[in-house]
Amino acid sequence: MPTRRLLLAAAAVAGLATAPALAQQARTPITMWIGVTGPAQEEIMRYAQEFNASQTQFEAKVEFRGQYPEQRAAAFAAFRAGNPPHIMQMFDAGTGDMFALPRATIPVSEVMQRAGVQFDPAAFIGPARGYYSRPDGTMNSLPFNVSTAVMFINNDIFTRAGLDPSKPPRTWPEVIAAANQIRERNAAECGFTTTWLAWTMLEQYSALHDLPLSTEANGRGGLNAVLNFNDAARVRMVQTLVDASRNKAFQYGGRSNDANALFVAGTCGMLIQSSGGHAAIARDLKASFSVAAMPFWPDVIAEPKNSIVGGASLWVFNAPNRSAEELRGVAQFLAFLARPEIYVRFAKATGFLPATNAAFQAMQAEGFFQQNPGRDAPILQLTRGTPTANSSGYRFGRWTEIRDMYHEEVERALQGQQTAQAALDNAVRRGNEALRQFERAVGASN
């Protein structure tokens, strides 16, 4: 009898000890794959912890699965295997792929509706809402880390070169003149550099100058778009980079974010970069810096148009055995992330833009932009004027690969292996071949 009582007591104690664990296991897991690093990744991980602490039904599990292209490939492989993440952070260049494969995802508007969660697409800033929505207003994905390209200036290098950092160059002729002066005065090893070459020198450049990337409204009008960015204005931009690289007024820093290191090391005096890089630059650069709008060619356009959305949005994957409870958890987690206070915190911590009008207005009301000069430059540039068909973004399948075709051809021009015209002719030809292949593949899968 004593032994039996001891066993029963031990079982009761064990039951009490395991009750919290069982309660924890009872939570429905919600997985989200992300492709950001640094401060942005840290913030998203923190928000997931806060969401988990705010309720007991769901557990958000955020995982970094490599940079966006690698994560995209892994997510589609998981989808084909029937077990994709619930949510995936997809960068802007992959938007066309996602739109063309509607069976793979559930529009975020539909997810919210099915879960009974209030959701208003009109709450988001216009450029982000338009980029990630269908023509009927259905929002396919949730804008999150919204960005655009801006120019960062090392104020110390400008001062050493005899330039005034309070009067940043506005036009490309002024940028080249400043870069040459930096080199002539030996103020830095290079005048300027750029990250994400195709995004800044092709996509953003084309939007600012109201130039098309293709027919069919930059691919938003249908799958049969034909690329046509090999005209004189785009060729001149490539030729400018080729010419400026001869005396290191320009230094090529690679296809993705690697050029950022040239700026934070003090190697280059100017950097064209995503506004989302602001926090990392502030953390790593051992000098004062300022932020300015992207430059333009005044003989191509008297006043530049708006720049286009970069960054990424959050997509909800479809899966054969996905339950209504899981979708409810997805909806609640996305609604948590879309709260104005979260967007405000994320924008302040990273340099990405507040994705909703309410978040932007809250930052204005508290005087954030007055206290942090230059932090409003990207959103003012993004929302400048009335967007045109050429400055409303693009929607192409296989654009990540087409970007690399552009990179390869421009790199050959920078190495003196071909002319700037040949580089863009080849990029357009190869890109159109990729678009036709994509159309055939989509037709077969849908």
Side-chain angles (χ1 to χ4, degrees):
M1 183 66 74
T3 302
R4 183 171 181 271
R5 283 199 297 269
L6 285 172
L7 289 172
L8 288 172
V13 171
L16 289 172
T18 57
L22 290 173
Q24 188 72 15
Q25 290 173 5
R27 288 184 178 224
T28 300
I30 304 299
T31 58
M32 182 168 87
W33 291 2
I34 62 173
V36 288
T37 58
Q41 182 187 102
E42 295 165 8
E43 286 295 309
I44 295 173
M45 295 288 190
R46 187 174 297 115
Y47 304 152
Q49 294 171 358
E50 293 174 8
F51 171 75
N52 292 338
S54 72
Q55 46 74 52
T56 58
Q57 293 175 286
F58 307 102
E59 183 180 8
K61 298 182 177 181
V62 179
E63 303 174 21
F64 175 71
R65 289 298 185 102
Q67 298 285 348
Y68 290 126
E70 292 79 14
Q71 177 189 249
R72 168 181 168 273
F76 275 106
F79 170 73
R80 288 190 291 271
N83 59 347
H86 294 88
I87 305 167
M88 183 182 68
Q89 183 186 39
M90 170 64 79
F91 67 151
D92 56 308
T95 301
D97 293 332
M98 303 300 282
F99 266 81
L101 298 170
R103 293 189 303 156
T105 62
I106 307 172
V108 69
S109 291
E110 181 182 335
V111 171
M112 298 299 196
Q113 182 181 27
R114 285 162 62 175
V117 175
Q118 187 175 0
F119 182 70
D120 182 12
F124 294 86
I125 60 174
R129 181 177 67 250
Y131 196 78
Y132 297 116
S133 295
R134 297 175 182 176
D136 65 2
T138 299
M139 188 167 276
N140 272 22
S141 59
L142 184 81
F144 190 71
N145 49 314
V146 176
S147 69
T148 194
V150 291
M151 185 165 62
F152 291 90
I153 293 169
N154 184 315
N155 295 338
D156 295 357
I157 291 176
F158 257 51
T159 300
R160 288 200 300 271
L163 299 165
D164 186 350
S166 69
K167 298 178 181 177
R170 293 185 64 246
T171 68
W172 273 110
E174 291 171 357
V175 168
I176 298 305
N180 284 329
Q181 189 164 325
I182 288 170
R183 294 297 298 122
E184 290 163 2
R185 302 285 181 89
N186 201 29
E189 294 178 27
C190 99
F192 77 97
T193 188
T194 182
T195 60
W196 308 106
L197 186 72
W199 185 57
T200 60
M201 295 294 103
L202 176 60
E203 298 161 36
Q204 297 288 354
Y205 175 93
S206 298
L208 292 171
H209 294 85
D210 199 17
L211 300 169
L213 292 169
S214 75
T215 60
E216 297 294 337
N218 283 351
R220 297 189 311 279
L223 288 175
N224 57 337
V226 177
L227 301 175
N228 56 9
F229 54 77
N230 55 338
D231 60 353
R234 263 71 68 93
V235 169
R236 178 168 66 168
M237 190 65 250
V238 174
Q239 188 61 52
T240 297
L241 299 179
V242 170
D243 294 341
S245 67
R246 295 191 176 104
N247 68 339
K248 294 191 74 173
F250 167 72
Q251 182 171 336
Y252 180 53
R255 302 177 182 183
S256 58
N257 199 46
D258 295 340
N260 194 74
L262 296 174
F263 185 72
V264 298
T267 303
C268 298
M270 293 173 281
L271 169 73
I272 294 175
Q273 163 68 303
S274 165
S275 58
H278 193 286
I281 290 172
R283 179 192 64 199
D284 298 334
L285 179 64
K286 308 305 179 186
S288 67
F289 69 94
S290 53
V291 185
M294 284 274 289
F296 65 98
W297 290 99
D299 58 342
V300 176
I301 192 166
E303 288 296 331
K305 298 295 182 182
N306 59 284
S307 57
I308 56 175
V309 166
S313 64
L314 306 179
W315 294 77
V316 179
F317 262 104
N318 206 350
N321 299 317
R322 196 131 288 171
S323 68
E325 181 71 1
E326 287 175 278
L327 282 183
R328 195 162 70 87
V330 167
Q332 289 195 18
F333 185 37
L334 291 179
F336 181 89
L337 293 175
R339 291 161 59 185
E341 56 267 36
I342 294 292
Y343 279 132
V344 167
R345 286 171 55 190
F346 190 71
K348 288 180 178 180
T350 62
F352 283 104
L353 309 182
T356 61
N357 296 309
F360 179 53
Q361 290 161 7
M363 294 175 74
Q364 283 182 311
E366 69 176 58
F368 176 81
F369 297 115
Q370 287 76 14
Q371 298 162 16
N372 297 271
R375 287 295 295 269
D376 60 348
I379 196 162
L380 292 175
Q381 178 182 267
L382 186 65
T383 58
R384 176 173 55 200
T386 302
T388 69
N390 298 326
S391 68
S392 296
Y394 57 84
R395 200 166 290 159
F396 302 115
R398 294 183 63 179
W399 189 249
T400 303
E401 298 167 59
I402 295 171
R403 274 183 173 178
D404 277 340
M405 294 170 187
Y406 172 89
H407 291 145
E408 290 167 4
E409 299 299 340
V410 172
E411 285 167 354
R412 291 183 60 204
L414 289 168
Q415 295 161 4
Q417 298 176 12
Q418 64 182 353
T419 66
Q421 182 69 64
L424 293 193
D425 288 345
N426 290 335
V428 163
R429 173 183 54 77
R430 295 173 63 191
N432 281 324
E433 291 171 357
L435 288 180
R436 304 293 81 80
Q437 292 168 2
F438 178 76
E439 290 162 10
R440 290 192 290 271
V442 167
S445 63
N446 287 341

